Each structure stands twice: as structure tokens, then as C-alpha cells.
Amino acid sequence: MRNLIYALSALAALGLAALAWFEFGAPQTSELEIPKSTAANPQPDAPSAGALAAAKDKLEAAIMLAPEFRPFFERMKTLYPADFERFIQAETVILAKPPLPSASSDSLILDAVDSLRKNRGLQAAKASPEAMIKVFDLQAKVLDALAVQDPRLCEHFLFGGDAPAFAEFSAKNRALIADMAEAGMTAIADGEANKIERNPPADEDFNLLEQRLKEMNLDKAEMAALLDGQMPETPFESARTCEFGKSYYSALRALPDAARDSIYALALQNMAQ
């Protein structure tokens, strides 16, 4: 079986989580690392109660600052109140520690998406085909937007990497980022409701995808990068990376339903892990 999982996890990496990596580097913390008793029983280096209160005010102000993101946070609070509260507590502690960082609406939604992915992302692989398709269709839209606005970022989006310039892209495309976040949460909720179990993709499914990519004029180096994670010594040109990345999404989308759904489900499982 080809190592398609590498490429799929990098593409999503929505998932949405790759966007947080691009903008902010490795995750600063996890809600699992934040003791629930931080405020009541402060540790020697723990933020003071005043610092925590001020940080929470900044956090709430940042959430309200971007109207595009408010529906996502409200829905998260309604569907997963415990997850939402842990997320708020974790972000509050981060914001309260010196040197005091600024609260960014864009960073908050990406952190929230990452938190949901880690805690509940496996459920998205059990979602209806429509919900899974929506996740990957929106990733394709992000790649389309990058190709127009900043082709240099296409490689980072497809294969992972540190791209601080993505912060500017995110700030200029909040409606698109919000749609991606909503699609991921919808897939999780859908999977929890439907619990669809799928067989892993077969070799024939990957072979069919490879054939489709050949028909779309991808060369051996481009297919090796997408299907096996083998990057050439000479980097691809940015514009070309955008183009064969778009071909990749199109080829996946056009597979027979069973093959497409099994590959999407496997990708979503890998993203959650």
C-alpha cells in the first residue's frame, strides 16, 4: 500500500491543525496539561488571580473582535460545553503568563480547532459522506485561495512547515477559515450521531488515485511527493506546487464513492492521532 497517509495527513494537518502550526509553530500547550485547580491552588510560577482575570477579559474581547468566528465558538460551547471550558481555561493560562502575549482572534479559532481535533477528531471518520466531503472541499478552497494570494504558501499547506506569512492570509480570509472550522466540527458531530464504520482503503483504491493523477499530467516527482512524501532535492516552483496540489484534491474528489470515503475516513483518523 502506498504511503498515501503521509500526504493526506499533511494536507489536513483542518486539517485544520496545520494552519495553527503554520502561524504559531508547535502547540504551546494542551488542555490536558492545565491543572483544573490552577486558580484555586496556584503553583509558584502560576499566574496570579488578577493576571488570570485580565487574560480572560482579553480572551473574550478577541473572540468578539472577529464576527466571522463567533458562530463557531457559540456552537462549540453548545455542543461541547466541557471541551469549550477546558479550552478557555487553557488559553487563559497561556495569555496570563509573562511575557504577556496579545490575544489574536485568528490564533484562538485555530487553537480551538486543534483542541477539538485532538479530543474528538476520530469521530469525524464515522461521519456521513457529505460531512467528510465538506471538510476536504474546504481544504481545496484554501489551496485555491493560496494559489491566487500567495503561491509560496501552497507547499507549506500541502506538506507542512513553518510559514509565519500564513497569519496574514488567515486574517484576510476569516470567512474561509471559519467555514473550515465549522466543517470540521460538523463532521465530528455527524460522526458521533451516525457512527459509520468503514473498511480501510484497498491497494486498488490507491492505484486508481495514482492513475487519475497520471491522467492529470503529474510527473513522477510530483506523485512521489503526494503519495509517498518523497520531496525532490530541487524544490518545486510555487505555482506548480499549487497546481498539482489542486489536481490532487480533484482526483480524490472524483474517485468512486466507496474508495473516496474510505480514503477520507483514513485521513481523518490520522489527523486526529
Side-chain angles (χ1 to χ4, degrees), residues 2-7 206 209-210 213 222-230 248:
R2 302 296 295 271
N3 189 19
L4 184 67
I5 307 309
Y6 174 93
F206 294 139
L209 175 59
E210 183 175 2
L213 293 173
E222 293 165 349
M223 285 193 291
L226 289 170
L227 299 178
D228 295 314
Q230 297 178 1
Y248 186 47

Side-chain angles (χ1 to χ4, degrees), residues 203-245:
D203 288 345
E204 291 77 10
D205 299 328
F206 294 139
N207 292 336
L208 179 57
L209 175 59
E210 183 175 2
Q211 182 59 39
R212 294 281 174 86
L213 293 173
K214 288 180 180 178
E215 294 170 358
M216 301 173 86
N217 298 318
L218 273 72
D219 63 28
K220 291 183 178 180
E222 293 165 349
M223 285 193 291
L226 289 170
L227 299 178
D228 295 314
Q230 297 178 1
M231 302 302 292
E233 293 184 5
T234 303
F236 298 114
E237 292 184 359
S238 297
R240 180 56 190 164
T241 302
C242 295
E243 288 306 311
F244 71 68

Side-chain angles (χ1 to χ4, degrees), residues 34-49 52 93:
I34 303 301
K36 294 182 179 180
S37 59
T38 296
N41 301 294
Q43 301 301 311
D45 59 346
S48 66
L52 287 170
V93 171

